[in-house]
Amino acid sequence: ISFDDQPDRFISPVPERTIGTRGINGPVWSPDGRQMAFIMDGVLWVVPVEPSGAIVGSPRLLTHELADAPSWTGDSQHIVFLATDRLKVIDLVDGHIESIPLDFTWSVHQPKTSFVVHAGKIFDGRSPTYRENVDIVIDGNRIKEIVPHQEGRTGMVIDASSRTIIPGLFEMHTHQHATAGEPLGRLWLAYGITSTREPGTEPYDALERKEAWASGRRKGPRAFYTGGLIDGNRIYYGMAVGNAAGSAQLELELNRAVALDYDMIKTYVRMPDQMQQRITAFAHHHGIPVSSHEIYPATHYGVDAVEHMGATSRRGYSPKLTALNNSYEDVVQLIIRSKMVITPTLSLHGGFYTLAMKDSSFFNHQQFLAFFEPSMKEQVHERVGRVIKMFPTYLSGFSNVQHTVKSILDGGGRITPGTDSPIIPPGISLHAELQSWANGGITPFEVIRSATLWSAESVGVSEDLGTVEQGKLADLVIVNGDPLKDVRDLLKVEMVIKNGVAFSLEELLKASE
């Protein structure tokens, strides 16, 4: 990109190949201006360049192991890089590679305190009715017992006798980034979201975030994540891994998923079907679930989950959704009979904008005022106008998508709530999702069960999360309302307990010092 009014130029060391992921892996110019380091096929290369940036020689392969975050030393003779879970340095003169010792440790925050929550009502995640006037005894980070209310308890007692307790909510489809900063974790919690599932991100960014939230260094939810979307030839999104199909890079990426303890793997739209089958077999061998945008032959391969009612596909069209937002019966039956869990993202398919246009009170809550600019309302309305102009049936056909999701649920299928935020604003978008389900005829009980127990089961953590029961981890939300009657009351968060640590809404809305 020229700074002196000269034409911008595109250069590529290998034509028609994806260079990196547009994230942390270059290209990076050497201090002496003579070389460019870059990542291709997941490994480290250098190529000689002129001061103008023009390539003047052939690329040279430096490593056979995964490389990220290349950084030159000042003498332009060495490159420091991240090798999966190690930091290494390579000498460009003799090719020698050494590890750089790092002695970093962290631990999950384990609260030692005990306290009692006097609950007026509990939705436990399983029953369509409340359990009333009980005490939830929390010891450390777990629920020790749930017993009839006892007056005169000693120690810390949280009086929620006129409030409703629910399990912490799951946001099952979001993409996050370090640039969101510290407020993002507080935002999730303030909206009652104690767990997030991230099906595609920069893995080291996500792992830092997960560890920071789990350690208590920053306030935030539990994070379940994967790394880059494993894609085929080239990429569309920066959080994807290109050139992986049928190459040695695929095996390197799969091994990274194990080394970094991914919670899932997501295959993307240029990944051929046979490679998706290979990835699924590998992931299941290591106990890792797989998701994608595909329904067939993904169901045949045993893929565990599918994202979105529509969205991009390797077919070149959406097999799940027509231009008028209809889904054929084979789509519904494939999802139901395969037991594949679908995260339909109704809020992304028009639910968020429908509520923003029809419900004047939609933005009237403390969380929105604290985390979003006042101009957000106007921006949303302006965006609605542009979307409708580009896609006239986007909102007018939204009820068709609602009907399909209800049909899947009524037929015995599993659905979980996610939004693809930040395409639409995080936090508030999950509540738009849940309200969109309810407005489409799904009962509040079914809505909240999907956002708690069913989500925990889909992630594979239902032994610890998803319900309010003895022995479970203490992830709870205290709301002022009756969400089994009206899911909009889920927005009336007053306190969130995550891993046995209680946060008032006022505390979450304030910037950390």
Side-chain angles (χ1 to χ4, degrees), residues 330-346:
D330 58 345
V331 172
V332 174
Q333 291 303 319
L334 277 169
I335 294 170
I336 292 172
R337 298 189 187 191
S338 68
K339 306 300 182 184
M340 180 185 281
V341 179
I342 184 169
T343 302
T345 61
L346 283 190

mmCIF file with all atom_site columns, all heavy atoms in Angstrom, residues 330-346:
data_model
loop_
_atom_site.group_PDB
_atom_site.id
_atom_site.type_symbol
_atom_site.label_atom_id
_atom_site.label_alt_id
_atom_site.label_comp_id
_atom_site.label_asym_id
_atom_site.label_entity_id
_atom_site.label_seq_id
_atom_site.pdbx_PDB_ins_code
_atom_site.Cartn_x
_atom_site.Cartn_y
_atom_site.Cartn_z
_atom_site.occupancy
_atom_site.B_iso_or_equiv
_atom_site.pdbx_formal_charge
_atom_site.auth_seq_id
_atom_site.auth_comp_id
_atom_site.auth_asym_id
_atom_site.auth_atom_id
_atom_site.pdbx_PDB_model_num
ATOM 1   N N   . ASP A 1 330 ? -36.656 -32.961 3.671  1.00 0.00 ? 330 ASP A N   1
ATOM 2   C CA  . ASP A 1 330 ? -35.469 -33.809 3.809  1.00 0.00 ? 330 ASP A CA  1
ATOM 3   C C   . ASP A 1 330 ? -34.438 -33.164 4.734  1.00 0.00 ? 330 ASP A C   1
ATOM 4   O O   . ASP A 1 330 ? -33.727 -33.862 5.469  1.00 0.00 ? 330 ASP A O   1
ATOM 5   C CB  . ASP A 1 330 ? -34.856 -34.129 2.441  1.00 0.00 ? 330 ASP A CB  1
ATOM 6   C CG  . ASP A 1 330 ? -34.454 -32.899 1.651  1.00 0.00 ? 330 ASP A CG  1
ATOM 7   O OD1 . ASP A 1 330 ? -34.890 -31.795 2.007  1.00 0.00 ? 330 ASP A OD1 1
ATOM 8   O OD2 . ASP A 1 330 ? -33.712 -33.050 0.671  1.00 0.00 ? 330 ASP A OD2 1
ATOM 9   N N   . VAL A 1 331 ? -34.372 -31.834 4.728  1.00 0.00 ? 331 VAL A N   1
ATOM 10  C CA  . VAL A 1 331 ? -33.463 -31.136 5.634  1.00 0.00 ? 331 VAL A CA  1
ATOM 11  C C   . VAL A 1 331 ? -33.876 -31.391 7.080  1.00 0.00 ? 331 VAL A C   1
ATOM 12  O O   . VAL A 1 331 ? -33.057 -31.752 7.940  1.00 0.00 ? 331 VAL A O   1
ATOM 13  C CB  . VAL A 1 331 ? -33.458 -29.625 5.332  1.00 0.00 ? 331 VAL A CB  1
ATOM 14  C CG1 . VAL A 1 331 ? -32.661 -28.868 6.393  1.00 0.00 ? 331 VAL A CG1 1
ATOM 15  C CG2 . VAL A 1 331 ? -32.899 -29.357 3.948  1.00 0.00 ? 331 VAL A CG2 1
ATOM 16  N N   . VAL A 1 332 ? -35.162 -31.222 7.352  1.00 0.00 ? 332 VAL A N   1
ATOM 17  C CA  . VAL A 1 332 ? -35.675 -31.419 8.704  1.00 0.00 ? 332 VAL A CA  1
ATOM 18  C C   . VAL A 1 332 ? -35.428 -32.855 9.162  1.00 0.00 ? 332 VAL A C   1
ATOM 19  O O   . VAL A 1 332 ? -34.951 -33.096 10.282 1.00 0.00 ? 332 VAL A O   1
ATOM 20  C CB  . VAL A 1 332 ? -37.182 -31.085 8.748  1.00 0.00 ? 332 VAL A CB  1
ATOM 21  C CG1 . VAL A 1 332 ? -37.772 -31.438 10.115 1.00 0.00 ? 332 VAL A CG1 1
ATOM 22  C CG2 . VAL A 1 332 ? -37.405 -29.610 8.441  1.00 0.00 ? 332 VAL A CG2 1
ATOM 23  N N   . GLN A 1 333 ? -35.707 -33.818 8.290  1.00 0.00 ? 333 GLN A N   1
ATOM 24  C CA  . GLN A 1 333 ? -35.575 -35.219 8.683  1.00 0.00 ? 333 GLN A CA  1
ATOM 25  C C   . GLN A 1 333 ? -34.119 -35.644 8.850  1.00 0.00 ? 333 GLN A C   1
ATOM 26  O O   . GLN A 1 333 ? -33.796 -36.462 9.724  1.00 0.00 ? 333 GLN A O   1
ATOM 27  C CB  . GLN A 1 333 ? -36.280 -36.118 7.657  1.00 0.00 ? 333 GLN A CB  1
ATOM 28  C CG  . GLN A 1 333 ? -37.793 -35.990 7.662  1.00 0.00 ? 333 GLN A CG  1
ATOM 29  C CD  . GLN A 1 333 ? -38.388 -36.284 9.029  1.00 0.00 ? 333 GLN A CD  1
ATOM 30  O OE1 . GLN A 1 333 ? -37.973 -37.205 9.723  1.00 0.00 ? 333 GLN A OE1 1
ATOM 31  N NE2 . GLN A 1 333 ? -39.370 -35.479 9.421  1.00 0.00 ? 333 GLN A NE2 1
ATOM 32  N N   . LEU A 1 334 ? -33.231 -35.113 8.029  1.00 0.00 ? 334 LEU A N   1
ATOM 33  C CA  . LEU A 1 334 ? -31.811 -35.421 8.193  1.00 0.00 ? 334 LEU A CA  1
ATOM 34  C C   . LEU A 1 334 ? -31.313 -34.989 9.571  1.00 0.00 ? 334 LEU A C   1
ATOM 35  O O   . LEU A 1 334 ? -30.578 -35.727 10.245 1.00 0.00 ? 334 LEU A O   1
ATOM 36  C CB  . LEU A 1 334 ? -30.987 -34.747 7.098  1.00 0.00 ? 334 LEU A CB  1
ATOM 37  C CG  . LEU A 1 334 ? -30.889 -35.450 5.750  1.00 0.00 ? 334 LEU A CG  1
ATOM 38  C CD1 . LEU A 1 334 ? -30.269 -34.524 4.710  1.00 0.00 ? 334 LEU A CD1 1
ATOM 39  C CD2 . LEU A 1 334 ? -30.074 -36.733 5.865  1.00 0.00 ? 334 LEU A CD2 1
ATOM 40  N N   . ILE A 1 335 ? -31.716 -33.797 9.970  1.00 0.00 ? 335 ILE A N   1
ATOM 41  C CA  . ILE A 1 335 ? -31.267 -33.287 11.269 1.00 0.00 ? 335 ILE A CA  1
ATOM 42  C C   . ILE A 1 335 ? -31.879 -34.099 12.404 1.00 0.00 ? 335 ILE A C   1
ATOM 43  O O   . ILE A 1 335 ? -31.191 -34.491 13.355 1.00 0.00 ? 335 ILE A O   1
ATOM 44  C CB  . ILE A 1 335 ? -31.617 -31.791 11.393 1.00 0.00 ? 335 ILE A CB  1
ATOM 45  C CG1 . ILE A 1 335 ? -30.810 -30.981 10.376 1.00 0.00 ? 335 ILE A CG1 1
ATOM 46  C CG2 . ILE A 1 335 ? -31.347 -31.294 12.808 1.00 0.00 ? 335 ILE A CG2 1
ATOM 47  C CD1 . ILE A 1 335 ? -31.247 -29.537 10.242 1.00 0.00 ? 335 ILE A CD1 1
ATOM 48  N N   . ILE A 1 336 ? -33.170 -34.401 12.306 1.00 0.00 ? 336 ILE A N   1
ATOM 49  C CA  . ILE A 1 336 ? -33.850 -35.134 13.370 1.00 0.00 ? 336 ILE A CA  1
ATOM 50  C C   . ILE A 1 336 ? -33.309 -36.549 13.500 1.00 0.00 ? 336 ILE A C   1
ATOM 51  O O   . ILE A 1 336 ? -32.923 -37.005 14.585 1.00 0.00 ? 336 ILE A O   1
ATOM 52  C CB  . ILE A 1 336 ? -35.369 -35.165 13.118 1.00 0.00 ? 336 ILE A CB  1
ATOM 53  C CG1 . ILE A 1 336 ? -35.974 -33.756 13.258 1.00 0.00 ? 336 ILE A CG1 1
ATOM 54  C CG2 . ILE A 1 336 ? -36.061 -36.131 14.084 1.00 0.00 ? 336 ILE A CG2 1
ATOM 55  C CD1 . ILE A 1 336 ? -37.436 -33.675 12.839 1.00 0.00 ? 336 ILE A CD1 1
ATOM 56  N N   . ARG A 1 337 ? -33.261 -37.278 12.395 1.00 0.00 ? 337 ARG A N   1
ATOM 57  C CA  . ARG A 1 337 ? -32.926 -38.700 12.456 1.00 0.00 ? 337 ARG A CA  1
ATOM 58  C C   . ARG A 1 337 ? -31.447 -38.961 12.717 1.00 0.00 ? 337 ARG A C   1
ATOM 59  O O   . ARG A 1 337 ? -31.082 -39.990 13.281 1.00 0.00 ? 337 ARG A O   1
ATOM 60  C CB  . ARG A 1 337 ? -33.370 -39.386 11.168 1.00 0.00 ? 337 ARG A CB  1
ATOM 61  C CG  . ARG A 1 337 ? -34.873 -39.326 10.942 1.00 0.00 ? 337 ARG A CG  1
ATOM 62  C CD  . ARG A 1 337 ? -35.294 -40.199 9.778  1.00 0.00 ? 337 ARG A CD  1
ATOM 63  N NE  . ARG A 1 337 ? -36.706 -40.013 9.452  1.00 0.00 ? 337 ARG A NE  1
ATOM 64  C CZ  . ARG A 1 337 ? -37.378 -40.801 8.612  1.00 0.00 ? 337 ARG A CZ  1
ATOM 65  N NH1 . ARG A 1 337 ? -36.759 -41.804 8.010  1.00 0.00 ? 337 ARG A NH1 1
ATOM 66  N NH2 . ARG A 1 337 ? -38.654 -40.575 8.364  1.00 0.00 ? 337 ARG A NH2 1
ATOM 67  N N   . SER A 1 338 ? -30.599 -38.029 12.313 1.00 0.00 ? 338 SER A N   1
ATOM 68  C CA  . SER A 1 338 ? -29.159 -38.222 12.537 1.00 0.00 ? 338 SER A CA  1
ATOM 69  C C   . SER A 1 338 ? -28.754 -37.907 13.975 1.00 0.00 ? 338 SER A C   1
ATOM 70  O O   . SER A 1 338 ? -27.640 -38.237 14.383 1.00 0.00 ? 338 SER A O   1
ATOM 71  C CB  . SER A 1 338 ? -28.364 -37.318 11.595 1.00 0.00 ? 338 SER A CB  1
ATOM 72  O OG  . SER A 1 338 ? -28.541 -35.946 11.950 1.00 0.00 ? 338 SER A OG  1
ATOM 73  N N   . LYS A 1 339 ? -29.643 -37.245 14.726 1.00 0.00 ? 339 LYS A N   1
ATOM 74  C CA  . LYS A 1 339 ? -29.340 -36.772 16.084 1.00 0.00 ? 339 LYS A CA  1
ATOM 75  C C   . LYS A 1 339 ? -28.282 -35.667 16.081 1.00 0.00 ? 339 LYS A C   1
ATOM 76  O O   . LYS A 1 339 ? -27.677 -35.356 17.113 1.00 0.00 ? 339 LYS A O   1
ATOM 77  C CB  . LYS A 1 339 ? -28.892 -37.918 16.992 1.00 0.00 ? 339 LYS A CB  1
ATOM 78  C CG  . LYS A 1 339 ? -29.857 -39.093 17.047 1.00 0.00 ? 339 LYS A CG  1
ATOM 79  C CD  . LYS A 1 339 ? -31.231 -38.684 17.552 1.00 0.00 ? 339 LYS A CD  1
ATOM 80  C CE  . LYS A 1 339 ? -32.180 -39.874 17.652 1.00 0.00 ? 339 LYS A CE  1
ATOM 81  N NZ  . LYS A 1 339 ? -33.552 -39.479 18.053 1.00 0.00 ? 339 LYS A NZ  1
ATOM 82  N N   . MET A 1 340 ? -28.034 -35.094 14.904 1.00 0.00 ? 340 MET A N   1
ATOM 83  C CA  . MET A 1 340 ? -27.125 -33.965 14.810 1.00 0.00 ? 340 MET A CA  1
ATOM 84  C C   . MET A 1 340 ? -27.757 -32.744 15.492 1.00 0.00 ? 340 MET A C   1
ATOM 85  O O   . MET A 1 340 ? -28.934 -32.461 15.307 1.00 0.00 ? 340 MET A O   1
ATOM 86  C CB  . MET A 1 340 ? -26.847 -33.662 13.333 1.00 0.00 ? 340 MET A CB  1
ATOM 87  C CG  . MET A 1 340 ? -25.922 -32.501 13.086 1.00 0.00 ? 340 MET A CG  1
ATOM 88  S SD  . MET A 1 340 ? -25.769 -32.151 11.308 1.00 0.00 ? 340 MET A SD  1
ATOM 89  C CE  . MET A 1 340 ? -24.621 -33.414 10.804 1.00 0.00 ? 340 MET A CE  1
ATOM 90  N N   . VAL A 1 341 ? -26.972 -32.044 16.298 1.00 0.00 ? 341 VAL A N   1
ATOM 91  C CA  . VAL A 1 341 ? -27.468 -30.843 16.977 1.00 0.00 ? 341 VAL A CA  1
ATOM 92  C C   . VAL A 1 341 ? -27.301 -29.649 16.049 1.00 0.00 ? 341 VAL A C   1
ATOM 93  O O   . VAL A 1 341 ? -26.221 -29.444 15.486 1.00 0.00 ? 341 VAL A O   1
ATOM 94  C CB  . VAL A 1 341 ? -26.711 -30.601 18.294 1.00 0.00 ? 341 VAL A CB  1
ATOM 95  C CG1 . VAL A 1 341 ? -27.215 -29.334 18.975 1.00 0.00 ? 341 VAL A CG1 1
ATOM 96  C CG2 . VAL A 1 341 ? -26.859 -31.798 19.224 1.00 0.00 ? 341 VAL A CG2 1
ATOM 97  N N   . ILE A 1 342 ? -28.352 -28.856 15.899 1.00 0.00 ? 342 ILE A N   1
ATOM 98  C CA  . ILE A 1 342 ? -28.251 -27.668 15.057 1.00 0.00 ? 342 ILE A CA  1
ATOM 99  C C   . ILE A 1 342 ? -28.334 -26.407 15.905 1.00 0.00 ? 342 ILE A C   1
ATOM 100 O O   . ILE A 1 342 ? -29.148 -26.303 16.828 1.00 0.00 ? 342 ILE A O   1
ATOM 101 C CB  . ILE A 1 342 ? -29.343 -27.644 13.959 1.00 0.00 ? 342 ILE A CB  1
ATOM 102 C CG1 . ILE A 1 342 ? -29.133 -26.421 13.045 1.00 0.00 ? 342 ILE A CG1 1
ATOM 103 C CG2 . ILE A 1 342 ? -30.753 -27.674 14.544 1.00 0.00 ? 342 ILE A CG2 1
ATOM 104 C CD1 . ILE A 1 342 ? -29.975 -26.435 11.782 1.00 0.00 ? 342 ILE A CD1 1
ATOM 105 N N   . THR A 1 343 ? -27.444 -25.480 15.627 1.00 0.00 ? 343 THR A N   1
ATOM 106 C CA  . THR A 1 343 ? -27.501 -24.132 16.194 1.00 0.00 ? 343 THR A CA  1
ATOM 107 C C   . THR A 1 343 ? -28.001 -23.221 15.075 1.00 0.00 ? 343 THR A C   1
ATOM 108 O O   . THR A 1 343 ? -27.224 -22.808 14.208 1.00 0.00 ? 343 THR A O   1
ATOM 109 C CB  . THR A 1 343 ? -26.110 -23.691 16.695 1.00 0.00 ? 343 THR A CB  1
ATOM 110 O OG1 . THR A 1 343 ? -25.655 -24.630 17.670 1.00 0.00 ? 343 THR A OG1 1
ATOM 111 C CG2 . THR A 1 343 ? -26.171 -22.310 17.330 1.00 0.00 ? 343 THR A CG2 1
ATOM 112 N N   . PRO A 1 344 ? -29.308 -22.922 15.025 1.00 0.00 ? 344 PRO A N   1
ATOM 113 C CA  . PRO A 1 344 ? -29.902 -22.313 13.831 1.00 0.00 ? 344 PRO A CA  1
ATOM 114 C C   . PRO A 1 344 ? -29.599 -20.838 13.631 1.00 0.00 ? 344 PRO A C   1
ATOM 115 O O   . PRO A 1 344 ? -29.782 -20.317 12.542 1.00 0.00 ? 344 PRO A O   1
ATOM 116 C CB  . PRO A 1 344 ? -31.398 -22.533 14.042 1.00 0.00 ? 344 PRO A CB  1
ATOM 117 C CG  . PRO A 1 344 ? -31.569 -22.630 15.524 1.00 0.00 ? 344 PRO A CG  1
ATOM 118 C CD  . PRO A 1 344 ? -30.324 -23.292 16.032 1.00 0.00 ? 344 PRO A CD  1
ATOM 119 N N   . THR A 1 345 ? -29.115 -20.150 14.672 1.00 0.00 ? 345 THR A N   1
ATOM 120 C CA  . THR A 1 345 ? -28.815 -18.710 14.615 1.00 0.00 ? 345 THR A CA  1
ATOM 121 C C   . THR A 1 345 ? -29.972 -17.906 14.002 1.00 0.00 ? 345 THR A C   1
ATOM 122 O O   . THR A 1 345 ? -29.787 -17.146 13.050 1.00 0.00 ? 345 THR A O   1
ATOM 123 C CB  . THR A 1 345 ? -27.500 -18.423 13.864 1.00 0.00 ? 345 THR A CB  1
ATOM 124 O OG1 . THR A 1 345 ? -27.572 -18.889 12.511 1.00 0.00 ? 345 THR A OG1 1
ATOM 125 C CG2 . THR A 1 345 ? -26.320 -19.085 14.558 1.00 0.00 ? 345 THR A CG2 1
ATOM 126 N N   . LEU A 1 346 ? -31.173 -18.051 14.584 1.00 0.00 ? 346 LEU A N   1
ATOM 127 C CA  . LEU A 1 346 ? -32.323 -17.294 14.082 1.00 0.00 ? 346 LEU A CA  1
ATOM 128 C C   . LEU A 1 346 ? -32.110 -15.791 14.187 1.00 0.00 ? 346 LEU A C   1
ATOM 129 O O   . LEU A 1 346 ? -32.599 -15.031 13.350 1.00 0.00 ? 346 LEU A O   1
ATOM 130 C CB  . LEU A 1 346 ? -33.584 -17.679 14.867 1.00 0.00 ? 346 LEU A CB  1
ATOM 131 C CG  . LEU A 1 346 ? -34.260 -19.003 14.533 1.00 0.00 ? 346 LEU A CG  1
ATOM 132 C CD1 . LEU A 1 346 ? -35.599 -19.097 15.232 1.00 0.00 ? 346 LEU A CD1 1
ATOM 133 C CD2 . LEU A 1 346 ? -34.440 -19.164 13.039 1.00 0.00 ? 346 LEU A CD2 1
#
